[in-house]
Structures are given as structure tokens and as C-alpha cells.
Amino acid sequence: MMLYTILSMVITFCFDFAAIYAFNIFYRKRPQNRELSVIEANGSYVPPAENNMNNYPSIMPSKGGAEAFNYLGVLFYAVLIILSITIFLTVFLLLTRKTVLYLQEISGALEKISEGHFETRVPVRYNDEFSIIADNINCMTMDLEYLKKSEQAAEKKKNELITNVAHDLRTPLTSIIGYLDILNTHPELTEEKKKTYIQIAYNKAEKLKTLIEDLFSFTKLTYGQMPLKFSKIDLVKLLEQEIDEFYPYFTENHLVCELHTDTPAAPVMADSTLLARAFENLISNAIKYGKDGKIVYVDISHDETFVTAAIKNYGLVIPQKDLPLIFDKFYRVEHSREETLGGTGLGLSIAKAIVESHKGIITAQSSLEGTVFKVSLPLISKETNLKG
């Protein structure tokens, strides 16, 4: 805009200069203002004598000529001022016409954005300050659109969370109330029946307790409210211990677990309690959904920077559409909602949160060749190991 203003002023100044120059030439050529020479009758020029002013005709305008000069000058400059302003404005508007239209376009886009249409974009047409403004507006609207979508996604997840929590809390609670009501209203029940109903109510209460504990744990891990107590641990020994503790469950479900490792030790910095819980969830998941496969493999491999533990079972295949979602809280594949299989829906979410809090990576793959969960954790460097 500054450039257009200066250019308009230059054009206007040139016009003014040309107009004043033309006016001066025109005025000098008028007869009453022309200097008269002394001419003899025969037409020859006679120069005036030095210091003899009488030889010159008077070149001063008469009283009437001066008044005419003043009138014409005032009129000329008045018209010149009006024309200058008109020319300046005309040139300025012609030069800025595209810019004004562009500003109107930007203004219209801002009006739409203010109404909540964050998908609106301002075209970047030129290479000036207004194009920079348009580009900044586009960046702002993209951020606003992202925030809006994130807020909508968060709202959707919150509603799903409330629905799932209500469902999973209500199911065991309804059973507990039902069996306790039977015990309270049917005193004629045999002792064996009473013990059976009490045991069922107790199991449902335990399930309810587990769900609540998992929910609190997941919330604390997700929002960083659970302090981590890091220490040096050997991942190979940790998994060996986990497999030994799960031996009764493997036997109960007619499963065999085999551990394979390419290294005798894999030192990592971790919170041993939380990391053990992550692998407990993964092994428990392999037992629940791998019963038909008869075997569970735990393979440990390593490179220079990471150690990877892969837990593989040959049971139910996870559909490909469900794989990207299985680590979401309360997400469960359809067959996992069966009473005999379904857990709290938080086991894998908790495992993922724990692994990521240790700067690790957890992935899942599933096909007819088996379902495998891989956990990769950073190894302690040799220099750190020597210092330790």
C-alpha cells in the first residue's frame, strides 16, 4: 500500500509540474506581457541605449493586467488542486483495486471463520503483506479445525468411556445384588446352594474391584499421575519369573509356554512393578484367547539399542479392522465380550501406557499364522552398564 501511495503521489506531482509549466508558458505569450522592442519604420531593430530606460516600452502590467493575472492564477491553482486530488484518488484506486477486492475476500473468509466454519481457506494470490496475512489466517484456521476435531473426538471418547464404564460396572453389580437378594428372600435354600451363590457374588465383586483398580491405574498412567521408580532390571529374568508365576494358569487351560532368547541378559531401566504388570496383562491375554492353539511362545531378541519381547499365541485371530483399535481403552473384539473371555477392556491399554512411559514401543499382529504382541524397550548402553 505504501508503494501504491508513493506511485500515486509521483504521478500527481508530474501532472502538477506539467500543468504549472504549461500555464507559465501560456501566460508569458500573452501580448500584454511580452517585452516590446524598439523598431524603426523601415523594420530594422534599434537596440536601446545603455541605462536609457526610456527606450523600452513598459513591461509592467497595467492595473487591469495585474488583476487579470491574479484572477487567472487563483483560478488555475484552485482547478489544479481539485484535479490533483482527483488524479491521486483515481490512480490510487486503480492501483489498489485488486488489493481492495482481495481485502474484501479476506474479510468474507474471516466472517465465515467467526461463524465456526473452520474449514474455510483464504487463497494466497499475491506476494505482499496481505498474502502473508492470508497465509497466517489459513494456519490459524487449520489449528482451529484440528482443535475442533480433537474436541469432538475427545467428547466422543468421553461418552464411550462413560457408556462402557456404566455397562461394565453394572453387569457384575447386578449379579451381586441378584444373588444376595436370592439369599435374603429364600431362607429355605440349602447350605450348599447358599455357599454357591455367595461364591458367585464374591467372584463378581472381585471382578468389579479389578475393573475399578484398572480404571484408576489407566487414568493415573495416562495423565502422568503415577510416579515411576526406575531401576536396572534384567528383562530375561523378569519374563522367566512371569512365566513361572503363570504356570498354574497355563496348565489349567491346557497350554504350554516356551521361552526362547538370543541373549542371557537384557538390562533395561524400568519400574519393575509396572513393567511386570504390563507383561502380566499380555500373557494373560495370550492365555485367554490362545486356548485353542495349545502353545504360547515368548521370544526375546535384541540389537545394539533395543530388546524386543514377542508373546505369540495360536488362538483366535484378531480381525484386521480391529488391530488399530485394540489398545484403546474399553475396546474389545466381539468374541472377547463373551462372559468366559471378556476382561475389563483395559488390560492392553494399561500395557501400552506402561510401555510408552518407558520410552518403548508396543505393536500387535494377527493372522492365521498366529497373534503376536511385541514390546521393544531401550537397552542400557554399555557405558551406562559399566558405570552402574
Side-chain angles (χ1 to χ4, degrees), residues 67-128:
E67 291 177 352
F69 172 77
N70 291 336
Y71 173 76
L72 287 175
V74 171
L75 180 62
F76 169 76
Y77 283 106
V79 172
L80 183 62
I81 290 172
I82 295 172
L83 285 175
S84 298
I85 294 173
T86 304
I87 291 172
F88 175 81
L89 292 176
T90 302
V91 173
F92 183 77
L93 290 176
L94 287 174
L95 292 174
T96 60
R97 181 173 177 273
K98 291 183 178 180
T99 303
V100 171
L101 293 175
Y102 193 32
L103 283 174
Q104 291 176 351
E105 192 173 3
I106 293 175
S107 177
L110 286 173
E111 186 176 351
K112 289 183 179 180
I113 294 170
S114 66
E115 294 173 355
H117 301 288
F118 299 131
E119 71 282 357
T120 304
R121 298 291 182 269
V122 181
V124 181
R125 300 190 183 281
Y126 313 110
N127 189 20
D128 55 14

Side-chain angles (χ1 to χ4, degrees), residues 72-359:
L72 287 175
V74 171
L75 180 62
F76 169 76
Y77 283 106
V79 172
L80 183 62
I81 290 172
I82 295 172
L83 285 175
S84 298
I85 294 173
T86 304
I87 291 172
F88 175 81
L89 292 176
T90 302
V91 173
F92 183 77
L93 290 176
L94 287 174
L95 292 174
T96 60
R97 181 173 177 273
K98 291 183 178 180
T99 303
V100 171
L101 293 175
Y102 193 32
L103 283 174
Q104 291 176 351
E105 192 173 3
I106 293 175
S107 177
L110 286 173
E111 186 176 351
K112 289 183 179 180
I113 294 170
S114 66
E115 294 173 355
H117 301 288
F118 299 131
E119 71 282 357
T120 304
R121 298 291 182 269
V122 181
V124 181
R125 300 190 183 281
Y126 313 110
N127 189 20
D128 55 14
E129 59 269 24
F130 295 109
S131 300
I132 296 174
I133 292 173
D135 189 53
N136 290 334
I137 290 173
N138 289 337
C139 292
M140 179 191 69
T141 53
M142 285 190 289
D143 291 340
L144 291 174
E145 186 178 14
Y146 174 76
L147 290 173
K148 181 181 179 181
K149 289 181 179 179
S150 298
E151 183 179 354
Q152 290 174 344
E155 184 69 19
K156 182 180 179 182
K157 285 186 177 182
K158 184 185 74 173
N159 293 334
E160 291 176 352
L161 175 62
I162 293 172
T163 302
N164 288 324
V165 168
H167 175 271
D168 287 345
L169 289 176
R170 182 177 58 195
T171 301
L173 191 60
T174 301
S175 297
I176 293 170
I177 293 173
Y179 283 109
L180 291 179
D181 183 64
I182 292 174
L183 291 171
N184 188 46
T185 57
H186 294 76
E188 71 280 3
L189 290 174
T190 62
E191 289 297 322
E192 185 177 353
K193 281 286 184 182
K194 289 181 179 179
K195 288 182 179 180
T196 301
Y197 292 160
I198 290 172
Q199 185 62 44
I200 293 174
Y202 176 80
N203 292 338
K204 296 293 182 182
E206 283 291 321
K207 183 177 180 180
L208 189 61
K209 177 186 175 183
T210 302
L211 172 62
I212 294 172
E213 288 178 349
D214 283 350
L215 184 60
F216 276 118
S217 297
F218 176 78
T219 303
K220 289 181 179 180
L221 285 167
T222 302
Y223 294 100
Q225 297 176 352
M226 183 174 288
L228 301 179
K229 299 178 181 179
F230 285 99
S231 61
K232 178 182 173 183
I233 65 172
D234 183 356
L235 187 62
V236 175
K237 290 183 179 179
L238 176 67
L239 286 172
E240 287 176 347
Q241 182 179 345
E242 290 291 329
I243 292 171
D244 288 341
E245 291 179 358
F246 271 96
Y247 180 77
Y249 298 98
F250 285 119
T251 303
E252 182 181 340
N253 289 278
H254 308 288
L255 284 168
V256 175
C257 183
E258 294 185 6
L259 173 66
H260 301 279
T261 177
D262 66 353
T263 176
V268 296
M269 290 298 295
D271 185 312
S272 59
T273 302
L274 287 179
L275 194 59
R277 184 172 182 181
F279 282 109
E280 284 173 6
N281 290 349
L282 294 176
I283 294 173
S284 175
N285 186 78
I287 292 173
K288 281 192 294 186
Y289 304 116
K291 294 178 181 179
D292 297 335
K294 306 302 180 183
I295 190 168
V296 173
Y297 286 110
V298 178
D299 294 321
I300 301 174
S301 59
H302 77 292
D303 55 25
E304 293 182 358
T305 55
F306 281 89
V307 57
T308 299
I311 300 172
K312 188 174 185 179
N313 71 79
Y314 297 91
L316 297 171
V317 176
I318 302 173
Q320 292 300 312
K321 65 181 181 65
D322 293 317
L323 275 176
L325 305 173
I326 59 174
F327 291 109
D328 292 349
K329 53 183 178 294
F330 287 106
Y331 186 85
R332 283 178 287 181
V333 183
E334 284 303 316
H335 56 65
S336 70
R337 289 194 175 274
E338 299 174 11
E339 182 66 22
T340 56
L341 295 178
T344 63
L346 289 171
L348 293 179
S349 300
I350 292 173
K352 182 174 185 289
I354 292 173
V355 171
E356 290 182 347
S357 68
H358 287 74
K359 298 181 180 180

